[in-house]
Amino acid sequence: MKILVAVKRVVDFNVKVRVKSDGTGVDIANVKMSMNPFDEIAVEEAVRLKEKGAATEIIAVSCGDAKCQETLRTAMAIGADRGILVETTEELQPLAVAKLLKALVDKEQPGLIILGKQAIDDDANQTGQMLAALADLPQATFASKVEVAGDKVNVTREVDGGLETISLSVPAVITTDLRLNEPRYVTLPNIMKAKKKQLDIVKPEDLGVDVKPRLKTLKVSEPPKRGAGIKVPDVATLVDKLKNEAKVI
Ligand code: AMP
């Protein structure tokens, strides 16, 4: 069984993002970029499934500009066998990415497609669900455990107040939650090995997909500044302030 994993290049989670002064977006000039953390978890899970003998090949896919090759090399250093870059400089929205992935699913026929539950830059939480709909595949979102059993895959999901385990027939789409696994550290020998792995580059036109944005961002703004805290002399004052000023109790 092949596994296709989607990996997005995003602003590193440690970076404090700055909103552009004209409010059109976030400034990413000279900012450290990394693989979306949920996608690292997706690659790690695919590699663990391969190590258990449940998968034969892992293909990492990234959509975006030429620099996404770095993200694909990281995926290959974690253990993906090859990479595909869908190269474009156009701004990609979740629907466009879902259509590109659908075209690659048709071509590669993977048994599992694993994505992150959300990209930490747009926080959309849409691509996996849209892909499942477009490809007419069963989906398990927010996975915290994945077990392949024959032609079925059992996925445990974190839901309000507990865990839900569902069984899907493959092929299927899975999106990863934070507690699915802890991705391994990428070692230098594996980084070197990854440089030699196959990386194919295709354009959206080659896949017959129109990636033009369908949504327009009207405005991006900073969160309101937090006011300074105060010290209260005693518990009674604290309770009074919570009741009458903050009105939270
Ligand atoms: P989103 O729907 O934007 O929150 O993204 C959810 C997941 O879709 C991400 O964690 C990735 O696995 C995948 N994804 C989104 N955008 C891209 C992209 N440009 N290239 C590859 N994968 C992507």
Side-chain angles (χ1 to χ4, degrees), residues 185-202:
Y185 282 107
V186 175
T187 62
L188 191 59
N190 285 342
I191 293 174
M192 301 312 285
K193 264 192 235 157
K195 290 191 179 172
K196 298 204 185 83
K197 291 188 182 175
Q198 182 185 340
L199 196 164
D200 298 314
I201 300 178
V202 295

Side-chain angles (χ1 to χ4, degrees), residues 75-125:
M76 291 190 269
I78 299 173
D81 297 292
R82 60 185 168 97
I84 302 175
L85 167 64
V86 184
E87 192 178 347
T88 174
T89 49
E90 184 85 63
E91 177 210 330
L92 289 177
Q93 294 179 345
L95 180 59
V97 178
K99 287 180 184 169
L100 294 170
L101 293 174
K102 152 83 168 71
L104 290 172
V105 167
D106 289 346
K107 203 163 151 210
E108 298 285 349
Q109 299 285 314
L112 284 181
I113 306 106
I114 313 183
L115 303 89
K117 74 168 178 184
Q118 78 193 65
I120 61 164
D121 53 0
D122 61 16
D123 276 342
N125 173 233

Side-chain angles (χ1 to χ4, degrees), residues 173-233:
V173 175
I174 295 175
T175 72
T176 61
D177 210 336
L178 202 59
R179 277 166 290 276
L180 179 58
N181 61 49
E182 226 176 89
R184 67 197 65 190
Y185 282 107
V186 175
T187 62
L188 191 59
N190 285 342
I191 293 174
M192 301 312 285
K193 264 192 235 157
K195 290 191 179 172
K196 298 204 185 83
K197 291 188 182 175
Q198 182 185 340
L199 196 164
D200 298 314
I201 300 178
V202 295
K203 303 267 177 202
E205 308 84 84
D206 304 334
L207 300 172
V209 177
D210 167 14
V211 294
K212 265 196 223 75
R214 305 295 203 265
L215 303 174
K216 191 171 153 209
T217 303
L218 297 180
K219 191 173 155 220
V220 177
S221 52
E222 302 259 0
K225 294 253 178 302
R226 287 178 71 171
I230 54 157
K231 268 189 183 169
V232 289

Side-chain angles (χ1 to χ4, degrees), residues 117-155:
K117 74 168 178 184
Q118 78 193 65
I120 61 164
D121 53 0
D122 61 16
D123 276 342
N125 173 233
Q126 294 174 355
T127 312
Q129 294 90 324
M130 286 176 167
L131 169 64
L134 291 172
D136 198 16
L137 293 176
Q139 62 175 316
T141 51
F142 310 114
S144 60
K145 191 170 169 200
V146 174
E147 276 175 332
V148 174
D151 60 352
K152 296 265 186 260
V153 56
N154 296 332
V155 178

Side-chain angles (χ1 to χ4, degrees), residues 164-175:
E164 174 191 65
T165 303
I166 54 174
S167 171
L168 316 174
S169 51
V170 296
V173 175
I174 295 175
T175 72

Side-chain angles (χ1 to χ4, degrees), residues 16-129:
K16 191 172 179 317
V17 289
R18 284 182 316 268
V19 171
K20 287 187 196 162
S21 51
D22 60 3
T24 55
V26 164
D27 190 2
I28 56 164
N30 303 317
V31 163
K32 182 175 181 233
M33 306 290 283
S34 301
M35 186 189 299
N36 183 45
F38 293 106
D39 303 352
E40 266 184 70
I41 295 173
V43 181
E44 175 66 34
E45 195 61 21
V47 175
R48 289 187 190 189
L49 289 172
K50 190 177 167 202
E51 285 168 350
K52 280 188 210 150
T56 48
E57 190 187 24
I58 302 165
I59 308 158
V61 179
S62 193
C63 311
D65 66 17
K67 291 197 179 125
C68 296
Q69 290 187 43
E70 287 167 18
T71 317
L72 288 169
R73 293 285 171 208
T74 307
M76 291 190 269
I78 299 173
D81 297 292
R82 60 185 168 97
I84 302 175
L85 167 64
V86 184
E87 192 178 347
T88 174
T89 49
E90 184 85 63
E91 177 210 330
L92 289 177
Q93 294 179 345
L95 180 59
V97 178
K99 287 180 184 169
L100 294 170
L101 293 174
K102 152 83 168 71
L104 290 172
V105 167
D106 289 346
K107 203 163 151 210
E108 298 285 349
Q109 299 285 314
L112 284 181
I113 306 106
I114 313 183
L115 303 89
K117 74 168 178 184
Q118 78 193 65
I120 61 164
D121 53 0
D122 61 16
D123 276 342
N125 173 233
Q126 294 174 355
T127 312
Q129 294 90 324

